[in-house]
Amino acid sequence: MSDATLHSITQDPDDFAVQIADSIESFIVATTEVAKGDEPDSAVPFLLLEVSQLLLAGGRLGAHEDIVPDERYEPDAGPDMDVDDLRERFAVMLEPVDVFSEVFDPYEPRKAPVPARISDNLADIVLDLRHGLAHYRSGRTSEALWWWQFSYFTNWGPTASATLRALQSLVAHVRLDQPLAELDGLDTDEDLTEDDLAEEAGRVMAAELGGLGRRKV
């Protein structure tokens, strides 16, 4: 299925696959536009909106019965598109607030938080979604839905959920006029012990928010 037919008027807009594909393509397009940096002051609130909407599609995939692809083995979807440029653009744009603390599995007892980056997460999410979109555009609808559902459970769903929590926290800090504490150097490239990570849990790397949101008059 080509780009020209992705939104063909012959498709039923109420069809589950069409709605999921529309939501996913909308997220990719919107996120790519934000990464251009034309409106950096509104980037965080806009990303909060886009990730929230994407997770609605993810919730629908998660609640859906197991999707079984037509073929036993996954057909070749072609090479994955490079997302390094997207990752780097977000890293520059979000530099003061890019790193946050994340717990991978909230049901695993005494699991220490780990540092993560919003920029890495957004790029990884787009990479997963594009892979399924390649199947969808080639007419392999069941394969696309299977991939989106499977990767929602295993990768982009947890990643988007963690990113949403970080973005919501950032917006809340700004709107409630609550300055962020410094993270004292916590970074994703450091080999920190569990004690170090636990001590830094719940704090976001930032000295100030700059123009990321509304200031109190």
Side-chain angles (χ1 to χ4, degrees):
M1 184 175 296
S2 67
D3 291 335
T5 60
L6 182 59
H7 301 289
S8 171
I9 59 174
T10 61
Q11 292 180 290
D12 183 355
D14 294 327
D15 184 76
F16 179 76
V18 173
Q19 292 177 355
I20 296 298
D22 283 350
S23 296
I24 284 173
E25 186 181 40
S26 176
F27 174 82
I28 294 173
V29 171
T31 304
T32 303
E33 286 298 312
V34 175
K36 292 179 180 179
D38 295 336
E39 298 183 25
D41 291 353
S42 60
V44 169
F46 196 79
L47 288 171
L48 174 65
L49 175 63
E50 291 302 321
V51 175
S52 297
Q53 292 177 332
L54 175 65
L55 281 171
L56 174 59
R60 296 183 65 192
L61 285 164
H64 198 283
E65 61 184 4
D66 288 348
I67 297 169
V68 180
D70 294 333
E71 301 181 41
R72 182 176 179 182
Y73 299 103
E74 181 183 4
D76 184 10
D80 288 330
M81 297 183 66
D82 187 5
V83 294
D84 285 345
D85 180 64
L86 188 73
R87 188 189 316 273
E88 292 169 3
R89 285 177 179 270
F90 275 125
V92 172
M93 183 187 305
L94 302 172
E95 192 275 331
V97 291
D98 196 17
V99 177
F100 66 98
S101 293
E102 175 185 359
V103 177
F104 283 119
D105 188 346
Y107 284 100
E108 186 173 348
R110 296 180 297 280
K111 186 67 175 179
V114 297
R117 288 183 179 274
I118 296 175
S119 56
D120 287 342
N121 285 4
L122 291 171
D124 290 346
I125 293 166
V126 169
L127 187 64
D128 263 353
L129 299 180
R130 280 179 174 172
H131 185 86
L133 198 58
H135 285 305
Y136 185 80
R137 287 172 171 167
S138 297
R140 297 186 291 269
T141 301
S142 66
E143 189 70 41
L145 289 174
W146 173 84
W147 171 259
W148 285 327
Q149 186 186 59
F150 171 76
S151 56
Y152 168 74
F153 288 126
T154 60
N155 191 39
W156 73 260
T159 301
S161 297
T163 306
L164 178 66
R165 181 69 183 92
L167 293 168
Q168 190 275 338
S169 180
L170 285 173
V171 173
H173 274 284
V174 174
R175 300 296 167 84
L176 299 177
D177 195 22
Q178 297 174 345
L180 296 173
E182 293 214 23
L183 204 62
D184 296 333
L186 178 62
D187 201 349
T188 55
D189 297 327
E190 296 183 15
D191 185 16
L192 301 179
T193 66
E194 288 196 3
D195 288 342
D196 293 329
L197 291 169
E199 184 179 348
E200 300 296 345
R203 308 177 66 190
V204 183
M205 184 184 68
E208 58 181 287
L209 291 178
L212 292 179
R214 184 175 62 191
R215 291 181 178 274
K216 186 175 181 180
V217 178

